[in-house]
Amino acid sequence: MICGTKLANTQRAFLSSVVLLLTSAEDLDCTPGFQQKVFHIDQPAEFIEDQAILNLTFSDCRGNDKLHYEVSSPYFKVHSDGRLVALRNISAVGKTLFIHARTPHAEDMAELVIVGGKDIQGSLQDIFKFARTSPVPRQKRSIVVSPILIPENQRQPFPRDVGKVVDSDRPEGSKFRLTGKGVDQEPKGIFRINENTGSVSVTRNLDRETIATYQLFVETVDVNGRTLEGPVPLEVIVIDQNDNRPIFREGPYIGHVMEGSPTEW
């Protein structure tokens, strides 16, 4: 009878070890980040305030504690349940939105491609109307820039539009000029700006491990190249895509659980 009890205890301990190993294997299969990284939608007649545009699923594989979302356009937000919505009714917002999710354990970027998206220049009236009602204090300068978030290791095609600069008081005939590391300083030619529209584009994929942030500067110049306004700082942030999977150089790993051990450890 004693031998039978010892055998039963051994079997239970073995099964507990198997369960632990299987659970650990499942944890290793969890890849932090967005479940889907690129979305495509057709340009609607209008983005309706607080109406869900799409649902995002992000996991840091540790419970998403202190999850925070950021959107590349100030006219959108992501609710805690992952719903991307507009903050007000607005027609044109450009051709691409980037959504950045971050917790203390992981961060990732999702991209929303708006098929048939209109140039944001066509909705300046909407933008400035929104700015007048926004709680964000207005700046004295007319050049308006927002930080640009770009996920690393993007694929073709390039160049790819990643942001836009707006100047509400730009004189007729003036042009935008972009300078800084990644433009006219080494590594040169990574970013460029459409001198007429203010659209900022990236010409090749980026590696966060090489350079995590780029500090650029935007200004407006006249036909002779003389500065009219600026330079205004423009920060480009490269977002980690978790492309380096964990490597276990030793093994196999064998775990043991004592019978009667507490479920939390």
Side-chain angles (χ1 to χ4, degrees):
M1 185 68 178
I2 294 177
C3 292
T5 301
K6 288 184 177 180
L7 178 59
N9 291 341
T10 301
Q11 290 174 335
R12 281 195 293 270
F14 173 75
L15 290 175
S16 297
S17 299
V18 172
V19 171
L20 176 62
L21 290 174
L22 289 176
T23 302
S24 299
E26 291 175 357
D27 291 341
L28 292 177
D29 288 339
C30 178
T31 301
F34 282 106
Q35 191 175 71
Q36 181 176 344
K37 298 183 186 296
V38 181
F39 299 84
H40 291 80
I41 65 168
D42 293 327
Q43 168 70 48
E46 189 173 44
F47 291 97
I48 306 301
E49 179 181 356
D50 209 35
Q51 185 177 92
I53 299 169
L54 54 86
N55 293 309
L56 300 157
T57 302
F58 174 88
S59 175
D60 67 356
C61 301
R62 296 192 181 186
N64 283 354
D65 183 40
K66 298 180 181 179
L67 174 59
H68 177 70
Y69 290 102
E70 296 172 331
V71 185
S72 59
S73 168
Y75 314 112
F76 295 83
K77 69 172 291 185
V78 179
H79 288 297
S80 57
D81 60 0
R83 288 183 300 120
L84 173 68
V85 300
L87 294 176
R88 64 180 293 275
N89 293 354
I90 189 168
S91 56
V93 296
K95 299 179 179 179
T96 307
L97 291 177
F98 293 100
I99 303 97
H100 178 213
R102 181 178 68 253
T103 75
H105 306 293
E107 63 179 325
D108 198 6
M109 177 76 75
E111 178 181 359
L112 172 60
V113 179
I114 304 173
V115 180
K118 305 172 185 176
D119 194 314
I120 199 170
Q121 192 89 2
S123 63
L124 287 180
Q125 184 175 357
D126 284 342
I127 292 174
F128 295 131
K129 186 186 299 180
F130 176 75
R132 288 194 291 270
T133 60
S134 172
V136 179
R138 292 193 61 178
Q139 300 174 336
K140 292 183 180 180
R141 67 192 182 211
S142 60
I143 297 179
V144 180
V145 299
S146 298
I148 296 176
L149 308 176
I150 305 178
E152 66 175 349
N153 301 324
Q154 287 187 311
R155 298 180 179 178
Q156 294 282 357
F158 290 106
R160 181 192 296 264
D161 288 345
V162 291
K164 190 173 182 65
V165 176
V166 177
D167 187 346
S168 58
D169 299 320
R170 184 160 61 97
E172 184 177 355
S174 64
K175 299 182 183 299
F176 289 105
R177 181 162 63 193
L178 188 66
T179 59
K181 184 177 181 179
V183 184
D184 57 346
Q185 301 174 25
E186 294 295 343
K188 296 181 179 180
I190 297 178
F191 304 100
R192 63 191 188 193
I193 191 169
N194 184 306
E195 61 183 16
N196 296 312
T197 67
S199 292
V200 179
S201 59
V202 63
T203 63
R204 57 180 182 264
N205 61 34
L206 306 177
D207 184 358
R208 180 181 172 87
E209 282 67 40
T210 302
I211 301 178
T213 61
Y214 295 83
Q215 189 68 50
L216 310 181
F217 296 92
V218 180
E219 56 188 336
T220 54
V221 298
D222 63 16
V223 292
N224 296 316
R226 292 175 298 193
T227 300
L228 298 175
E229 185 177 358
V232 176
L234 170 60
E235 185 177 28
V236 178
I237 303 170
V238 183
I239 304 301
D240 187 12
Q241 287 294 300
N242 300 305
D243 55 338
N244 297 318
R245 295 183 63 86
I247 298 175
F248 299 94
R249 302 187 183 281
E250 299 179 3
Y253 295 89
I254 301 175
H256 299 280
V257 178
M258 297 297 293
E259 185 178 12
S261 297
T263 57
E264 296 182 2
W265 50 280

